[in-house]
Amino acid sequence: MKLLKCFGLSVLLILIFVFGSCIPEDDDPPPTHAFCTQTSDCRRDQYCDLENPQLDFDTGTEKYLCRDRTKCLSAAQCPVGWQCFISEGFCITDAEADLLFCKSDDDCSYPQWKCNLATGECYNPDMGDTGDTGDTGDTGDTGDTGDTGDTGDTGDTGNTGDTGNTGDTGNTGDTGDTGDPGNVILSEDFEDNGVNWTVEGVWEIGVPTNGPEQAHSGARVLATSLDGNYDSNSNDLARFNNMVSIPSQGTPFIEFMAWVKIEGNNFMPADYAEVLIKREAEAWAGLEGIILEANTPSHLDLLDNTKTKITKTLGGKYYKFTGDLSAFKGSTVNIGFRFTSDDSVNYEGIYIDAVKVLVK
């Protein structure tokens, strides 16, 4: 009997050691790698590891994990079959590179942009020439020293030499071009509380108390929520009520400032905002966002890989967005902003100010 009790106690201690050690403590951190079926399910700096399935103990099925991408400064630091996305600082697959990298200037979204064949990324070479430095003025000649009077009788004091002329001040160099502001067709700062706008769903116009907690200029903005996070399952439009005539001459474009904190990624953003341009006979529902340029450290910091969707969680400050409207030359159009969100994970959203349509 004593032997059985000893044996039973030993078995109990083994079970407690084996199974008790597998029970996670309450303060264990959550897993850093989520399950995925494709790379778009992962964070921007991760990929879906489809070559190494993992067993999901909850369902008993094999699934794939999001893995951190390899950090890199050049292609030599990436595995075989991967390339370095230098502006983002991590490796991407050849398939992803085919979507993101350029092979010639024709692959870049904007006519003035060039393709850097060494990195495969588009860049804008037109940063404005720095003004020439003005010529330094000539130094004036030093005046002649007056003659010393004769010794003995008190000689006449020699004439003081003429003071040399001060050299002409050099012309100040011209300031580098800041860019022609162009002919302004539309300017909207929402300070009249948006009397010319129609908003629906999540969109509001007023003074923000969330997100940036201030406008870019003035006091009011157009925002997905002025005082909290945006709602789930949104597909809402904010549109300018008046038609805008786009001239047939020059280069027309739209620009605006925006503070952005939205759930999303490069390939399939969950939540995003778009700029819509509608000709009179078209319907809003059938439109897609126009291609945009974001004045951020990297052009994909706030845009998806198509450059038509404003997304991601950069936040921090207002950035300038620009969109080419050359496709609408000679047309009369409506302008709108559409916001779309899924059924989970909501952030502060997008805050828009200083909307302009210009022609250079």
Side-chain angles (χ1 to χ4, degrees):
M1 179 64 68
K2 291 182 179 179
L3 179 62
L4 289 175
K5 287 182 179 180
C6 182
F7 177 76
L9 180 60
S10 300
V11 170
L12 179 60
L13 290 173
I14 291 173
L15 290 174
I16 291 173
F17 175 78
V18 171
F19 291 101
S21 63
C22 296
I23 299 174
E25 297 180 5
D26 292 339
D27 58 356
D28 281 350
T32 58
H33 298 92
F35 287 124
C36 59
T37 58
Q38 54 190 353
T39 293
S40 59
D41 297 332
C42 303
R43 293 200 320 260
R44 180 182 178 191
D45 59 348
Q46 295 181 332
Y47 69 97
C48 188
D49 186 3
L50 300 177
E51 296 182 359
N52 298 292
Q54 304 292 316
L55 180 63
D56 182 354
F57 292 99
D58 293 334
T59 63
T61 60
E62 288 188 338
K63 293 187 177 180
Y64 304 102
L65 280 178
C66 293
R67 304 282 189 187
D68 292 336
R69 296 180 185 270
T70 302
K71 301 294 189 294
C72 66
L73 296 175
S74 68
Q77 296 173 306
C78 296
V80 176
W82 294 65
Q83 299 188 39
C84 185
F85 195 7
I86 294 176
S87 64
E88 301 295 325
F90 52 67
C91 300
I92 60 176
T93 65
D94 285 341
E96 292 173 310
D98 286 341
L99 293 174
L100 293 174
F101 286 177
C102 59
K103 297 180 177 62
S104 69
D105 294 346
D106 294 336
D107 294 335
C108 299
S109 300
Y110 295 93
Q112 72 272 24
W113 283 41
K114 301 295 182 184
C115 179
N116 185 337
L117 297 178
T119 65
E121 299 182 39
C122 297
Y123 68 97
N124 186 355
D126 186 11
M127 302 301 291
D129 297 331
T130 304
D132 297 330
T133 304
D135 297 329
T136 304
D138 298 330
T139 304
D141 296 331
T142 304
D144 297 330
T145 304
D147 297 330
T148 304
D150 296 332
T151 305
D153 297 331
T154 304
D156 297 329
T157 304
N159 296 323
T160 304
D162 297 329
T163 303
N165 295 324
T166 304
D168 296 332
T169 303
N171 295 325
T172 303
D174 297 330
T175 304
D177 294 334
T178 56
D180 182 2
N183 178 31
V184 179
I185 300 174
L186 167 67
S187 180
E188 177 60 80
D189 58 8
F190 304 104
E191 293 308 297
D192 59 3
N193 217 33
V195 296
N196 293 317
W197 290 77
T198 297
V199 298
E200 62 182 34
V202 297
W203 289 108
E204 297 178 301
I205 294 175
V207 178
T209 59
N210 193 38
E213 298 183 349
Q214 62 182 5
H216 170 68
S217 60
R220 291 175 172 80
V221 298
L222 170 67
T224 50
S225 176
L226 293 171
D227 57 4
N229 293 355
Y230 55 80
D231 294 334
S232 299
N233 300 314
S234 302
N235 186 23
D236 302 324
L237 182 68
R239 59 181 175 83
F240 187 65
N241 295 330
N242 303 323
M243 303 292 287
V244 179
S245 296
I246 308 298
S248 57
Q249 302 297 320
T251 302
F253 60 96
I254 185 172
E255 72 175 30
F256 56 93
M257 304 298 296
W259 188 99
V260 180
K261 192 170 183 181
I262 297 173
E263 181 197 12
N265 58 41
N266 281 347
F267 298 97
M268 292 182 64
D271 305 335
Y272 55 87
E274 300 172 287
V275 179
L276 305 183
I277 307 296
K278 184 183 84 69
R279 294 183 175 89
E280 190 170 7
E282 295 175 321
W284 291 108
L287 298 179
E288 295 183 355
I290 65 171
I291 293 175
L292 297 171
E293 176 183 349
N295 186 23
T296 52
S298 168
H299 65 272
L300 289 180
D301 275 341
L302 288 174
L303 298 171
D304 73 332
N305 63 309
T306 68
K307 302 180 187 176
T308 63
K309 294 178 174 62
I310 305 170
T311 184
K312 309 213 182 81
T313 57
L314 186 59
K317 69 175 187 176
Y318 282 87
Y319 290 95
K320 180 185 285 187
F321 291 78
T322 307
D324 190 342
L325 300 182
S326 295
F328 302 93
K329 282 185 177 182
S331 300
T332 301
V333 301
N334 283 117
I335 295 171
F337 294 89
R338 181 168 60 200
F339 182 75
T340 302
S341 63
D342 65 5
D343 59 1
S344 65
V345 188
N346 303 335
Y347 293 111
E348 288 91 331
I350 182 169
Y351 297 72
I352 298 171
D353 200 2
V355 179
K356 294 180 181 179
V357 175
L358 309 99
V359 177
K360 286 188 178 181

